[in-house]
């Protein structure tokens, strides 16, 4: 794209001023002098029976107000945490906020201690005496489905909670029989730990006068979390629970969900009639925050004699952890199925998905949520097919890309627009793919292995269907825009104000942005699925249109003209052909007095709209990566990364590019560094801290060459497609294609993510001895 700083749309983020000057307001910054402090006592075992719990020594300590177990929650009638994923049939084992009878992963909550200070609460927890009887554990999905695997739940025989088939299995079977070539690959999408800078935290309060619970939390989908708390856990009307989030320091999906700590905080605050606060340390978030990915897949790709793809057959096993998180199964079944086949014109696709329970932290949606896994499968399969057919991978991709629109995929997705071939050609040109062999030869003279990868991605962007937005005109002349989507670093405070400014013709400074507060935002499906502009932005446009329609009627009444004679521009209504006019702020003030209104019009200009839509958009692109590998150490150096992406119309190109860069960093991290490792014998998390779990640093990343191509969609009034997840979807297969391209001349044909120096070096050693 052109230099973002030269684009008038690329204004700097309004929220950066407070973030950079230390004026951000996070949960831990909020003073609550009367608050008690909570601490969660967690299981040290991956799998064990709880024979007995003795809390007497802990509860008798001065300054300790509560030491709670599952029995206390049950006595108060608290329900279990639900799983609301749209997967049927599905077995959902019970999940109380505190373990009852058995613990099923390291970190499983067992007791909740509330004391005068966090230090005292931890000290008290150490005095709780628990008699555990350790049991055998299993930590990988395929292993959990084996006949002799330890059983986690009586409710889930064989640890299988769902077995879902989608697509046309008959058509795929027939295509496989007729194919000239059938290529099979097995791939693993490695589990990752989600590490936002701000760990989970919350402050709960209780108002006895109104019997209302209040939770201030690091959350991303507050209306959904409130619904689960009210309907399934506390069994009260939703208005009896209020949730609100201040600034949130990252989330990437893992803060969308209901956690046991939110239940424990609210329950303790209600029981003690005191505010209760809790802050997770990093180790707690590693063992309790929802983790991501962890899918093993086998894919078969059928092609005719010319290289046209005839069918794709995918079999997946999803490791879901010890419990079903709120939408955990949705990533592997619902979201993944929408993106199966990627950008390619594949006539028949069949998908078989099994969900397995293991003695690990529950898995849920992480940036992309199923779409990275689906794209990785088809891209690795096409890469293998190109090698088997002796074709250049980019050329085989070009031959099979969807080339005409609208297009309905074999999985039923209606793609309205795009130019996938053009994006690939631009990426190939920018990556100097045709000249690569000369660079490979030069690297060889230095003892290095050089590789290049070209890969594509298709995002199916929507997240939860439907979204609400409201426009309110304030007495001080400013306009409040309240939107049901929620930012945790994306820049919504700026981009939504830009949409409102353009639509209402008022300066950006005229708007107040409100989010993440069930008291001030009527409805909302929050963050997730790259949905904010597509769903929330469209809702805001409709709310502004409704407000303008009401304002136009009032303006015509006050200016004594017909509505058809009224023009609107730059925040002012005027009577066409005259000097009579009234500005929007004055009109809003007049609208508060019923005496000024025409018959049948209610006071106020504000409007709330629920944008009812389940339409997807399809961000897409082609990426090129180049790597060099030191065969003596296995170290991979990512030299360059090129992305040519289509996110529809761009509200703020600079913010979009920032989102893409962040997604690329996370996708590259998964490909080269990040690996959640559980000890198969004990179930202990071996990568339980940042000393053992590697995140990408600036030195691990090249300068990104990103070109944003604007091809607006007709799926929403803004023409936007969503950019928050795309980098994470495109990077893993691109980087791994480059790594394998570098290793193949040395005899390495297979390598799974992450391509760490140790893994690469070991693969090279095996190849040298013919292993």
């Amino acid at each position: 794209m052109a230099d973002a700083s030269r684009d008038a749309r690329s204004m700097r983020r309004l929220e950066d001023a407070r973030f950079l000057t230390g004026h951000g307001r996070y949960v831990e910054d909020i003073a609550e002098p009367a608050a008690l402090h909570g601490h969660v006592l967690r299981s040290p075992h991956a799998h064990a029976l709880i024979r007995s719990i003795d809390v007497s020594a802990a509860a008798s300590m001065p300054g300790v107000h509560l030491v709670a177990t599952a029995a206390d929650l049950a006595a108060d009638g608290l329900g279990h945490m639900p799983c609301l994923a749209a997967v049927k049939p599905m077995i959902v084992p019970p999940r109380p906020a505190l373990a009852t009878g058995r613990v099923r992963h390291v970190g499983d909550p067992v007791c909740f201690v509330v004391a005068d200070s966090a230090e005292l609460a931890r000290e008290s927890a150490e005095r709780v005496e628990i008699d555990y009887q350790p049991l055998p554990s299993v930590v990988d999905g395929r292993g959990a489905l084996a006949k002799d695997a330890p059983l986690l739940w009586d409710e889930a025989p064989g640890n299988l909670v769902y077995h879902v088939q989608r697509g046309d299995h008959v058509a795929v079977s027939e295509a496989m029989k007729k194919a000239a070539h059938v290529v099979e690959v097995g791939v693993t999408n490695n589990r990752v730990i989600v590490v936002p800078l701000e760990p989970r935290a919350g402050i709960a309060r209780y108002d006895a006068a109104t019997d209302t619970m209040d939770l201030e939390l690091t959350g991303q989908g507050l209306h959904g979390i409130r619904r689960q708390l009210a309907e399934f856990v506390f069994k009260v009307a939703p208005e009896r629970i209020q949730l609100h989030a201040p600034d949130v320091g990252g989330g990437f999906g893992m803060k969308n969900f209901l956690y046991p700590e939110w239940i424990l905080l609210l329950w303790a605050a209600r029981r003690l009639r005191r505010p209760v606060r809790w802050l997770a340390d990093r180790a707690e978030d590693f063992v309790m925050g929802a983790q991501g990915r962890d899918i093993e897949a086998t894919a078969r790709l059928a092609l005719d004699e010319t290289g046209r793809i005839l069918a794709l057959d995918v079999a997946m096993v999803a490791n879901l952890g010890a419990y079903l998180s709120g939408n955990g199964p949705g990533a592997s079944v619902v979201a993944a199925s929408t993106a199966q086949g990627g950008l390619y014109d594949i006539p028949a696709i069949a998908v078989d998905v099994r969900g397995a329970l293991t003695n690990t932290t529950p898995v849920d949606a992480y940036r992309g949520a199923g779409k990275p896994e689906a794209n990785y499968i088809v891209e690795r399969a096409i890469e293998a097919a190109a090698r088997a057919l002796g074709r250049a991978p980019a050329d085989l991709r070009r031959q099979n890309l969807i080339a005409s629109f609208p297009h309905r995929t074999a999985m039923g997705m209606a793609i309205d627009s795009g130019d996938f071939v053009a994006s690939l050609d631009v990426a190939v040109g920018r990556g100097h793919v045709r000249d690569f062999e000369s660079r490979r030869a030069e690297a060889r003279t230095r003892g290095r292995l050089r590789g290049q990868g070209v890969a594509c991605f298709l995002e199916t962007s929507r997240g939860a269907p439907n979204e609400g937005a409201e426009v309110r005109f304030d007495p001080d002349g400013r306009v409040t825009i309240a939107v049901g989507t929620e930012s945790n670093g994306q820049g919504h405070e700026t981009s939504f104000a830009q949409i409102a400014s353009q639509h209402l013709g008022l300066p950006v400074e005229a708007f107040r942005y409100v989010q993440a507060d069930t008291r001030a935002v009527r409805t909302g499906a929050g963050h997730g699925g790259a949905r904010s502009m597509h769903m929330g932005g469209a809702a805001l446009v409709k709310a502004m249109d409704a407000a303008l329609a009401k304002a136009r009627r009032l303006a015509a009444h006050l200016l004594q003209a017909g509505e058809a004679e009224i023009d609107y521009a730059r925040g002012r209504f005027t009577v066409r052909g005259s000097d009579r006019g009234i500005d929007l702020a004055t009109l809003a003030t007049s609208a508060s007095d019923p005496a000024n209104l025409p018959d049948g019009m209610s006071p106020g200009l504000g409007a709330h709209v629920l944008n009812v839509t389940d339409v997807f958009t399809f961000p897409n692109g082609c990426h090129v990566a180049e790597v060099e590998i030191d065969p003596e150490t296995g170290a991979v150096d990512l030299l360059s990364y090129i992305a040519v992406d289509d996110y529809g119309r761009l509200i703020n190109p600079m913010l979009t590019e920032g989102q893409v860069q962040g997604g690329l960093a996370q996708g590259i991290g998964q490909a080269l560094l990040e690996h959640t490792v559980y000890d198969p014998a004990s179930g202990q998390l071996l990568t339980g801290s940042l000393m053992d779990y590697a995140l990408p640093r600036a030195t691990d990343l090249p300068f990104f060459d990103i070109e944003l191509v604007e091809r607006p969609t007709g799926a929403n009034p803004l023409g936007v497609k969503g950019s928050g997840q795309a980098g994470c979807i495109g990077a893993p297969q691109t980087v791994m294609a480059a790594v394998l391209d570098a290793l193949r001349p040395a005899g390495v044909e297979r390598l799974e993510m992450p391509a760490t120096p140790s893994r690469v070096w070991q693969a090279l050693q095996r190849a040298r001895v013919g292993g």
Side-chain angles (χ1 to χ4, degrees):
M1 60 176 278
D3 184 358
S5 65
R6 300 177 186 174
D7 192 317
R9 295 173 293 174
S10 293
M11 66 176 290
R12 294 189 177 277
R13 300 197 317 177
L14 301 173
E15 48 268 70
D16 281 349
R18 71 172 185 276
F19 291 151
L20 294 174
T21 57
H23 290 88
R25 185 175 179 270
Y26 300 90
V27 168
E28 188 61 6
D29 297 325
I30 297 169
E32 189 65 62
L36 302 172
H37 295 260
H39 177 78
V40 181
L41 179 61
R42 304 180 184 278
S43 168
H45 300 281
H47 199 191
L49 295 176
I50 302 174
R51 293 167 133 179
S52 65
I53 303 177
D54 184 354
V55 304
S56 57
S60 64
M61 293 179 63
V64 173
H65 297 260
L66 178 67
V67 183
T69 67
D72 298 301
L73 304 185
D76 267 8
L78 267 62
H80 295 157
M81 299 167 63
C83 175
L84 302 179
V87 177
K88 295 181 180 179
M90 180 173 67
I91 298 168
V92 182
R95 189 185 184 189
L98 293 173
T100 175
R102 192 190 302 195
V103 291
R104 291 175 170 86
H105 69 92
V106 172
D108 209 351
V110 180
C111 292
F112 188 56
V113 181
V114 180
D116 287 338
S117 69
E119 294 77 11
L120 180 58
R122 282 193 292 270
E123 183 182 349
S124 173
E126 292 175 359
R127 298 194 182 188
V128 176
E129 296 182 6
I130 304 176
D131 183 9
Y132 291 107
Q133 179 183 327
L135 298 172
S137 60
V138 60
V139 297
D140 71 281
R142 288 195 189 277
L145 298 179
K147 289 184 179 180
D148 59 349
L151 183 67
L152 271 73
W153 295 93
D154 293 337
E155 294 88 342
N159 297 318
L160 181 70
V161 290
Y162 59 80
H163 185 184
V164 177
Q165 293 186 325
R166 294 192 169 190
D168 192 335
H169 288 260
V170 173
V172 167
S173 178
E174 290 301 313
M176 292 287 172
K177 294 175 185 176
K178 299 175 182 177
H181 308 278
V182 176
V183 177
E184 181 173 313
V185 294
V187 297
T188 298
N189 211 285
N190 46 311
R191 181 182 286 225
V192 294
I193 295 173
V194 187
V195 193
L197 286 179
E198 181 195 25
R200 292 174 301 128
I203 303 172
R205 306 172 183 90
Y206 176 71
D207 185 340
T210 60
D211 192 22
T212 301
M213 292 175 278
D214 177 281
L215 179 64
E216 198 152 19
L217 75 161
T218 55
Q220 296 176 242
L222 271 57
H223 285 84
I225 295 172
R226 179 175 74 160
R227 178 205 161 192
Q228 294 173 62
L229 286 166
E231 183 176 342
F232 295 94
V233 180
F234 289 97
K235 302 168 188 174
V236 298
E239 57 269 19
R240 294 261 304 278
I241 301 177
Q242 300 297 338
L243 270 61
H244 43 109
D247 291 322
V248 175
F252 315 113
M254 65 93 75
K255 291 179 181 173
N256 281 5
F257 316 118
L258 175 62
Y259 285 99
E261 292 87 357
W262 306 150
I263 298 170
L264 297 171
L265 282 168
L266 287 170
W267 175 77
R270 185 178 69 175
R271 184 182 180 103
L272 298 172
R273 303 297 201 261
R274 292 271 301 275
V276 181
R277 67 187 307 150
W278 169 80
L279 171 68
D281 60 30
R282 189 64 68 188
E284 283 185 288
D285 255 8
F286 268 52
V287 298
M288 195 61 208
Q291 297 176 356
R293 312 290 189 243
D294 207 343
I295 289 179
E296 294 182 72
T298 300
R300 292 189 302 144
L301 197 66
L303 305 96
D304 69 14
E305 63 279 356
T306 72
R308 290 292 305 179
I309 299 174
L310 303 175
L312 172 66
D313 184 33
V314 177
M316 301 192 297
V317 173
N319 183 346
L320 301 169
Y323 302 92
L324 297 190
S325 184
N327 192 46
S332 55
V333 178
V334 181
S337 68
T338 64
Q340 291 289 358
L343 297 180
Y344 304 102
D345 187 0
I346 303 177
I349 299 176
V351 181
D352 182 286
V353 192
R354 290 181 291 164
L357 293 169
T358 66
N359 296 112
T360 63
T361 300
V363 167
D364 213 312
Y366 166 65
R367 201 169 191 168
K371 278 67 77 71
E373 296 90 322
N375 276 268
Y376 188 69
I377 290 166
V378 71
E379 291 295 326
R380 287 291 299 271
I382 289 178
E383 193 77 15
R387 305 298 176 186
L389 274 60
R391 298 278 302 275
D395 291 342
L396 186 61
R397 286 180 165 87
R398 181 183 294 102
Q399 179 183 353
N400 287 284
L401 288 171
I402 297 166
S404 62
F405 300 90
H407 175 90
R408 184 169 291 276
T409 73
M411 299 303 289
M413 303 304 291
I415 305 176
D416 68 322
S417 63
D419 194 338
F420 304 158
V421 174
S423 293
L424 182 142
D425 286 340
V426 172
V428 165
R430 291 175 80 104
H432 303 289
V433 172
R434 307 301 181 198
D435 305 327
F436 170 69
E437 289 303 326
S438 62
R439 297 195 294 280
R440 191 200 296 271
E442 187 278 329
R444 195 177 298 120
T445 66
R446 296 183 281 107
R448 296 292 183 117
L449 304 174
R450 192 166 182 131
Q452 185 180 69
V454 179
C456 300
F457 79 89
L458 175 73
E459 155 81 300
T460 50
S461 169
R462 187 202 69 184
N466 311 328
E467 190 51 83
E470 185 173 9
V471 178
R472 299 194 289 263
F473 295 88
D474 302 328
D476 63 0
R478 297 182 70 188
V479 181
T480 292
I481 49 177
V483 185
T485 62
E486 295 169 18
S487 170
N488 54 96
Q490 298 94 321
H492 292 178
E493 191 172 326
T494 301
S495 52
F496 277 110
Q498 287 182 272
I499 294 171
S501 174
Q502 182 177 12
H503 208 73
L504 294 183
L506 300 173
V508 168
E509 296 77 14
F511 298 95
R512 288 189 179 94
Y513 175 65
V514 175
Q515 65 159 21
D517 190 337
T518 60
R519 303 164 303 184
V521 181
R522 297 193 199 185
T523 60
H527 161 85
R531 67 187 300 277
S532 292
M533 291 299 109
H534 168 35
M535 305 296 288
L540 178 59
V541 168
K542 292 182 178 183
M544 289 187 290
D545 284 343
L548 285 175
K550 195 173 184 181
R552 183 182 299 277
R553 182 184 175 195
L554 179 58
H557 175 72
L558 295 178
L559 297 173
Q560 300 180 0
E563 285 189 49
E565 300 177 77
I566 299 295
D567 292 329
Y568 179 78
R570 298 177 183 176
R572 184 174 176 81
F573 288 94
T574 56
V575 178
R576 193 176 306 119
S578 77
D579 59 357
R580 288 180 292 151
I582 185 170
D583 63 74
L584 189 58
T586 302
L587 200 64
T589 300
S590 299
S592 63
D593 185 352
N596 296 326
L597 305 179
D599 292 341
M601 182 174 175
S602 59
L605 294 184
H608 174 269
V609 167
L610 180 63
N611 179 31
V612 179
T613 177
D614 61 359
V615 176
F616 285 79
T617 65
F618 300 91
N620 61 87
C622 182
H623 295 183
V624 181
E626 219 164 287
V627 302
E628 273 193 6
I629 297 174
D630 180 352
E632 298 303 316
T633 65
V636 178
D637 185 9
L638 181 57
L639 302 175
S640 67
Y641 198 101
I642 295 160
V644 179
D645 292 345
D646 167 19
Y647 302 116
R649 177 176 170 241
L650 305 177
I651 303 300
N652 185 315
M654 181 171 63
L655 296 192
T656 303
E657 186 164 346
Q659 285 292 290
V660 175
Q661 289 173 345
L664 290 175
Q666 288 184 302
I668 291 166
Q670 183 182 9
L672 296 179
L673 298 165
E674 299 187 49
H675 190 200
T676 308
V677 181
Y678 288 91
D679 177 45
S682 67
Q684 292 294 321
L685 178 62
L686 301 182
T687 50
S689 75
L690 290 174
M691 293 293 290
D692 309 294
Y693 187 85
L695 294 175
R697 301 183 180 186
T699 54
D700 298 312
L701 306 173
F703 285 99
F704 295 125
D705 179 0
I706 298 172
E707 178 169 342
L708 304 181
V709 182
E710 295 189 69
R711 299 187 180 104
T713 176
N716 57 73
L718 293 172
V720 297
K721 294 182 179 179
S723 63
Q725 304 182 144
C728 216
I729 298 172
Q733 59 262 26
T734 308
V735 172
M736 288 306 294
V739 169
L740 284 165
D741 185 57
L743 293 175
R744 200 164 282 109
V748 177
E749 293 291 337
R750 179 182 172 89
L751 186 72
E752 296 296 343
M753 296 190 293
T756 61
S758 174
R759 282 190 171 188
V760 171
W761 186 86
Q762 290 177 28
L764 286 168
Q765 301 313 301
R766 287 193 296 269
R768 285 174 183 171
V769 299

